[in-house]
Amino acid sequence: MAKMRKRLGDLLVESGLITVEQLEQALNEKTDKQKLGDALLQQGFITEQQLIEVLEFQLGIPHVSLFRYPIDPNVIKMVSKEMATRNFIMPLKREGEKLLVAMADPMDYYAIDELRLSTGFQIDVAIATKDDIIRTTHKYYDTVDAVDELMDDLNPVSEQEQEQVTNEEAPIVKLVNQLLLSAVQQRASDVHFDAQETKVIIRFRIDGLLKTERVLPKHMQNVLVARIKIMANIDITETRIPQDGRIKVNLDFHPVDLRVSTLPTVFGEKVVMRILDLGASINDINKLGFNKVHLNRFNEMIEKPTGIVLITGPTGSGKSSTLYASLNRLNKEEVNIITVEDPVEYQLEGINQIQVNTKVGMTFAAGLRAILRQDPDIVMVGEIRDTETAEIAVRASLTGHLVLSTVHTNDSVSTVTRLIDMGLEPFLVASSLSGVVAQRLVRRICRDCRQDVAPTEREKHIFANRGMKVTSVSRGKGCPTCNMTGYKGRLAIHEILVVDEMMKKMIMNNRSINDIKEYAVQAGTIFLIDDGLLKVKQGVTTTEEILRVVSGD
């Protein structure tokens, strides 16, 4: 097997997909049980599609796409769900004494032998991506069974409902667990349970956009909501007011945190679950998508011993990830870092995190006041929402602390005026503010179906307006890897406003937002749209994505 791995590495190097240095790095960093292919995928050096193409060439095994494959429902019963999910196997069809199965790892001879013994058939193997197999096993094994069982079991007796939503073997419990697992595997950030007049629609937010995952009959709504409420420790008898809760679960052996919110609507309660995948959180500043200029500017700002660094953008623009990556960078034994958040999203080792609780008077301002008596070096405030919090944050920075926080504004320059509108004196803003980072998330073009195309006239015009030239742009044509969307994953675009001496004077003199913007242009600020268009030129996203999140002025 070791020889095989070595040959796979050599083949990837020969085909120009990875360099010798990348191969060495993957071999050094992978765990003992981890396969080389998985290590290379984890590092982001290759895509699963590229790995499959090399294996297909090396082993002479055909590659199948399961997205529209006509799977024979009769063969599903031949392979148990446990075996299929454990070995990443999907049975496809039977031909005489042969059973064709798709495998993520066609070199897993133990799994092939186990399959041969349990089914009694000769096994023919095809290669498919791990994501493709996971999606298909969910579709054919899981939710269909659970919904069928529910249809048989469902009875509108409240005592029985209570039994149904607490018993681990109950169909509704299985259904909710399967939906959550499916959401995590598809890298969804939110799950919406929408109550309609005649049905319940379940939607996943993947890469920033909602898509319908499945539609359930209306009579399943009450037990579905009741199960989620029990998991989140919410009062299941209260249906007239909004409620919030939290669930901690282990899905596929890694911890996932879920924030649950219920809202009464005319057709019943709508439930939204925000998924915080603790295993997939980004803790490295270098992986946040900063360009070289921005990375240097940002590092300089957060490495200053004092001052306020603000991160701005709408909800769901990755502000928390940037804050946590910054804290991770600054987290050393010799500094005392304290945060006050609402809620604490990710728990970081070595950092003191405080949860806001307005019911008992623990607001951002009260927490921040208490923090300043705890001898902190670095303070992180989840959000500056009011004048009181803003004033204490300024005072903290002026008394020798580094303060990191977020604020909701459209761009970096308008953050300065927002702080002054909150009632802060211009001289206090000027003396305390080190810099502002505006951030948005855009979808990344799928690496497996990316193709270079000529820019449209409109695109040329957009680039020319920003003083740039473009000869070719990239598009995703759509493939099973990206669910035919052309996009997979997201990356951030940034705008960093560094508050230098000249800008401090302009803020103190109450200069207009346009004057500050003009000076920012002269000082070499790369605005959101410019950073976005640079990423379009690099072929990692599209102009449509940039214009979706940024106004083109």
Side-chain angles (χ1 to χ4, degrees):
M1 204 68 177
K3 263 187 183 176
M4 203 57 147
R5 284 182 191 162
K6 176 75 172 71
R7 289 214 304 272
L8 173 64
D10 287 343
L11 211 77
L12 288 165
V13 172
E14 282 165 29
S15 56
L17 291 172
I18 60 169
T19 62
V20 178
E21 291 77 25
Q22 286 173 329
L23 177 60
E24 290 296 322
Q25 188 181 331
L27 286 167
N28 291 336
E29 291 183 14
K30 79 181 185 71
T31 56
D32 292 339
K33 289 183 179 176
Q34 196 177 25
K35 293 174 178 148
L36 175 62
D38 288 341
L40 289 164
L41 287 172
Q42 194 179 327
Q43 299 282 340
F45 294 148
I46 55 170
T47 68
E48 209 168 355
Q49 195 66 33
Q50 289 169 332
L51 178 63
I52 277 178
E53 282 165 11
V54 169
L55 283 172
E56 188 178 10
F57 174 74
Q58 181 192 24
L59 304 171
I61 294 172
H63 162 225
V64 292
S65 162
L66 304 179
F67 190 69
R68 291 199 180 95
Y69 194 91
I71 293 170
D72 180 359
N74 297 320
V75 299
I76 305 290
K77 294 165 187 161
M78 295 180 186
V79 180
S80 71
K81 176 190 158 189
E82 188 273 329
M83 187 190 285
T85 49
R86 174 163 45 88
N87 296 314
F88 298 106
I89 291 170
M90 185 66 209
L92 303 178
K93 62 179 179 183
R94 175 188 164 185
E95 286 177 354
E97 292 303 305
K98 288 183 179 177
L99 181 66
L100 177 65
V101 295
M103 296 182 75
D105 180 10
M107 295 185 285
D108 189 345
Y109 300 115
Y110 294 112
I112 294 171
D113 281 348
E114 188 185 348
L115 206 55
R116 190 163 45 78
L117 289 166
S118 66
T119 60
F121 286 94
Q122 287 298 317
I123 306 300
D124 277 357
V125 177
I127 316 175
T129 65
K130 197 179 275 187
D131 281 354
D132 215 0
I133 288 174
I134 289 167
R135 247 197 320 265
T136 315
T137 48
H138 268 296
K139 184 177 168 185
Y140 283 90
Y141 278 102
D142 289 346
T143 36
V144 177
D145 295 348
V147 171
D148 287 348
E149 279 184 63
L150 265 173
M151 294 303 224
D152 299 338
D153 275 19
L154 218 50
N155 196 317
V157 181
S158 58
E159 276 180 32
Q160 198 168 334
E161 273 188 19
Q162 190 71 22
E163 167 76 17
Q164 281 173 338
V165 294
T166 52
N167 177 8
E168 286 301 312
E169 288 304 306
I172 191 67
V173 175
K174 288 184 192 169
L175 177 64
V176 171
N177 291 350
Q178 284 151 10
L179 285 167
L180 293 181
L181 186 59
S182 182
V184 169
Q185 284 168 339
Q186 291 186 50
R187 297 179 183 85
S189 60
D190 302 83
V191 180
H192 290 238
F193 296 85
D194 292 330
Q196 306 282 313
E197 189 172 5
T198 56
K199 60 197 174 201
V200 180
I201 296 175
I202 296 164
R203 295 186 293 169
F204 291 175
R205 188 178 291 282
I206 298 170
D207 294 340
L209 299 179
L210 283 167
K211 77 171 188 71
T212 300
E213 175 67 13
R214 59 183 309 117
V215 178
L216 298 176
K218 180 71 175 174
H219 64 257
M220 289 169 63
Q221 182 179 316
N222 289 346
V223 280
L224 192 63
V225 173
R227 172 60 192 161
I228 294 165
K229 283 183 169 183
I230 282 173
M231 289 172 79
N233 215 3
I234 295 173
D235 181 1
I236 65 166
T237 59
E238 181 55 80
T239 58
R240 297 161 302 167
I241 57 169
Q243 296 186 83
D244 292 309
R246 196 163 191 160
I247 305 171
K248 270 196 168 181
V249 285
N250 267 334
L251 294 171
D252 257 8
F253 304 108
H254 72 239
V256 175
D257 220 345
L258 304 158
R259 291 210 322 255
V260 179
S261 166
T262 69
L263 182 73
T265 70
V266 286
F267 298 124
E269 285 179 286
K270 173 179 168 67
V271 180
V272 176
M273 301 168 104
R274 162 64 61 91
I275 299 173
L276 302 166
D277 188 347
L278 305 178
S281 60
I282 295 175
N283 286 327
D284 185 354
I285 284 180
N286 300 318
K287 291 181 181 168
L288 291 174
F290 283 114
N291 64 40
K292 282 181 185 172
V293 177
H294 280 163
L295 188 60
N296 290 337
R297 286 178 184 171
F298 187 65
N299 282 335
E300 277 173 24
M301 284 185 336
I302 64 169
E303 279 161 12
K304 284 181 181 173
T306 63
I308 298 179
V309 177
L310 292 176
I311 298 171
T312 174
T315 306
S317 59
K319 300 189 296 293
S320 298
S321 294
T322 306
L323 275 180
Y324 283 120
S326 311
L327 290 179
N328 210 45
R329 172 72 176 266
L330 300 166
N331 189 6
K332 298 185 180 81
E333 185 193 346
E334 54 270 19
V335 292
N336 178 20
I337 302 176
I338 309 181
T339 76
V340 53
E341 305 168 58
D342 181 23
V344 173
E345 289 189 6
Y346 299 110
Q347 283 150 13
L348 298 175
E349 202 176 327
I351 290 176
N352 309 288
Q353 294 170 280
I354 301 168
Q355 171 88 39
V356 166
N357 185 351
T358 46
K359 287 177 189 169
V360 295
M362 175 55 122
T363 59
F364 276 121
L368 197 44
R369 260 196 223 95
I371 284 174
L372 296 179
R373 295 192 286 274
Q374 290 276 321
D375 181 33
D377 298 290
I378 297 163
V379 177
M380 192 265 263
V381 186
E383 190 184 333
I384 293 180
R385 293 178 185 166
D386 52 56
T387 308
E388 195 182 3
T389 310
E391 281 172 351
I392 303 166
V394 166
R395 201 183 318 145
S397 76
L398 294 176
T399 52
H401 306 93
L402 174 66
V403 180
L404 304 173
S405 189
T406 68
V407 68
H408 285 288
T409 55
N410 287 332
D411 58 20
S412 56
V413 179
S414 58
T415 306
V416 175
T417 51
R418 170 66 61 86
L419 292 173
I420 294 169
D421 291 345
M422 274 184 172
L424 291 179
E425 292 294 340
F427 74 89
L428 285 176
V429 175
S431 50
S432 61
L433 196 61
S434 296
V436 183
V437 180
Q439 180 170 313
R440 300 285 188 281
L441 289 178
V442 291
R443 290 185 293 169
R444 188 191 285 273
I445 296 171
C446 171
R447 281 168 65 180
D448 290 330
C449 60
R450 195 186 91 181
Q451 53 186 22
D452 291 337
V453 294
T456 62
E457 287 305 314
R458 182 164 176 260
E459 282 177 317
K460 286 180 187 170
H461 180 66
I462 291 164
F463 274 88
N465 271 358
R466 306 302 299 183
M468 297 185 211
K469 275 189 176 176
V470 63
T471 51
S472 79
V473 293
S474 298
R475 294 262 188 286
K477 137 177 123 213
C479 67
T481 309
C482 59
N483 261 343
M484 294 297 168
T485 59
Y487 298 98
K488 188 167 171 64
R490 288 193 289 179
L491 76 154
I493 57 171
H494 301 94
E495 167 180 311
I496 296 188
L497 183 74
V498 179
V499 181
D500 57 14
E501 289 307 315
M502 183 65 193
M503 196 170 288
K504 285 181 193 291
K505 283 179 188 167
M506 292 177 83
I507 295 168
M508 276 196 271
N509 293 333
N510 258 333
R511 296 286 286 275
S512 73
I513 192 166
N514 286 336
D515 290 349
I516 294 173
K517 204 163 194 170
E518 275 175 32
Y519 175 71
V521 172
Q522 290 164 24
T525 302
I526 301 169
F527 290 97
L528 275 170
I529 187 151
D530 300 322
D531 189 38
L533 293 177
L534 286 170
K535 288 185 164 85
V536 172
K537 281 184 84 167
Q538 289 165 12
V540 290
T541 189
T542 60
T543 320
E544 292 84 358
E545 273 300 291
I546 303 305
L547 296 180
R548 184 172 66 83
V549 298
V550 183
S551 59
D553 52 27

